[in-house]
Amino acid sequence: MQQPYEKYYVPAQSPWPIVGAVALFLIALGAGNFVVESTQGKDGYGGYILLAGIVTLLIMLIGWFKNQIDESMSGLYSAQLGRSYRQGMSWFIFSEVMFFFAFFGALFYARMVSVPWLGGSMNNEMTNAVLWPGFEAIWPLVKTPDGTTTQQMGPGGLPTINTIILLISSVTLHYAHVGLEQNRRKQLTWLLGITILLGCVFLTLQVEEYIHAYKELDLTLQSGIYGNTFFMLTGFHGMHVTLGTIILIVMFFRVLKGHFTPDDHFAFQAGSWYWHFVDVVWVMLFIFVYVL
């Protein structure tokens, strides 16, 4: 028996991908210049370029989300398109896994290969005197070649609190999803709202952690490879938490408007996947950056 024809909606050309690319370019350019200007004590345009990139990115997200929501609520999507969305989101999360895998790989190489090699392992003839006085092949390297010293950011305090916050947020989001599947709208709304609040608290505490690192530990971007890897990993993770929080906020307002049903809610499910992925990355980051 021949299967019935199933429509497949192909959207019109969209400006949002190129707008997003421009936004990311401005963010990268602005952030790079802002860091260089800050470390050198110079005034420049890096901060303004970074702000322009962030604003452009928010405009892109609002416009693209609006188009997607309008298409979905207009009944333009089919089961086949739903499968395509699931495949696309799965590959997107896989690409993000590889993104963080590269950074964890850099951390592993620095800790397990580069630093021991500089200390004379693996038949290397380097000596401490060749590098700088007082060099020790230990991790983290808390002393830079110019003699500047820093302190390690330990797992206690804010990092542990943030870990607990993200783990709780995964639980609240899971049961919000359960509430949606069981058509318990009040449970869905409250637990989703709590998840968003926890995400905002996490980001606030991360800012506090950075202030503590700069002012009290002298842990900055100029603190050699330890400072670089620390801020690179935690900073990029913070960006992902920010994006995840924005996605959940969009889902929250859609829930308030009565969107999603127990049988049709992939947008919510995709946001949930992304949030759980961010939480898993943080647990790994907490172990390898703060604990070990």
Side-chain angles (χ1 to χ4, degrees):
M1 180 177 179
Q2 186 177 3
Q3 296 294 326
Y5 172 77
E6 184 175 296
K7 63 181 181 179
Y8 191 92
Y9 174 68
V10 179
Q13 291 184 346
S14 171
W16 302 122
I18 188 64
V19 173
V22 171
L24 293 177
F25 171 76
L26 292 175
I27 289 173
L29 180 64
N33 281 276
F34 179 74
V35 169
V36 172
E37 292 160 2
S38 299
T39 54
Q40 295 179 352
K42 297 179 180 179
D43 293 328
Y45 298 100
Y48 297 106
I49 297 174
L50 176 60
L51 180 60
I54 293 173
V55 171
T56 304
L57 183 65
L58 290 175
I59 293 173
M60 182 274 292
L61 290 174
I62 293 171
W64 207 340
F65 282 172
K66 182 179 184 304
N67 290 160
Q68 290 282 299
I69 293 170
D70 291 342
E71 292 168 359
S72 177
M73 299 307 295
S74 299
L76 298 175
Y77 294 166
S78 63
Q80 175 59 41
L81 187 60
R83 290 190 288 272
S84 295
Y85 271 127
R86 283 167 171 77
Q87 292 176 2
M89 191 64 187
S90 299
W91 281 112
F92 171 67
I93 292 178
F94 176 77
S95 72
E96 293 288 271
V97 170
M98 293 296 100
F99 178 85
F100 278 101
F101 181 80
F103 289 146
F104 279 111
L107 176 65
F108 174 83
Y109 186 83
R111 293 179 60 167
M112 307 304 294
V113 180
S114 294
V115 171
W117 185 83
L118 291 173
S121 68
M122 296 176 283
N123 297 321
N124 177 36
E125 295 181 357
M126 282 283 193
T127 63
N128 295 349
V130 174
L131 297 174
W132 63 84
F135 171 78
E136 293 183 76
I138 59 174
W139 187 268
L141 290 176
V142 294
K143 189 174 183 179
T144 58
D146 62 0
T148 303
T149 58
T150 183
Q151 297 182 53
Q152 180 181 6
M153 180 68 74
L158 291 176
T160 298
I161 294 173
N162 266 346
T163 302
I164 295 172
I165 287 173
L166 277 191
L167 291 175
I168 293 174
S169 73
S170 268
V171 175
T172 56
L173 184 59
H174 169 73
Y175 283 102
H177 191 190
V178 171
L180 175 56
E181 292 177 329
Q182 297 178 353
N183 203 27
R184 298 178 180 178
R185 305 293 293 193
K186 184 176 291 187
Q187 175 180 328
L188 164 63
T189 304
W190 276 101
L191 290 179
L192 180 57
I194 292 173
T195 305
I196 294 170
L197 179 62
L198 291 172
C200 293
V201 172
F202 175 91
L203 293 171
T204 301
L205 293 181
Q206 188 169 48
V207 172
E208 290 289 331
E209 180 186 9
Y210 280 5
I211 294 173
H212 170 66
Y214 263 76
K215 290 187 175 181
E216 300 179 31
L217 301 181
D218 290 325
L219 177 58
T220 70
L221 284 169
Q222 294 178 292
S223 301
I225 192 171
Y226 172 58
N228 294 161
T229 53
F230 173 81
F231 285 106
M232 179 178 66
L233 281 162
T234 59
F236 273 116
H237 180 268
M239 289 177 58
H240 283 73
V241 174
T242 301
L243 178 58
T245 303
I246 292 173
I247 292 173
L248 294 182
I249 290 173
V250 174
M251 296 302 107
F252 182 77
F253 284 108
R254 291 193 65 183
V255 167
L256 293 181
K257 294 187 68 173
H259 294 188
F260 305 128
T261 66
D263 299 322
D264 185 13
H265 58 266
F266 176 67
F268 184 95
Q269 190 176 34
S272 178
W273 287 357
Y274 187 80
W275 190 260
H276 293 313
F277 154 74
V278 169
D279 290 354
V280 170
V281 169
W282 175 259
V283 172
M284 295 178 60
L285 192 152
F286 178 75
I287 294 173
F288 289 105
V289 174
Y290 292 95
V291 177
L292 297 181

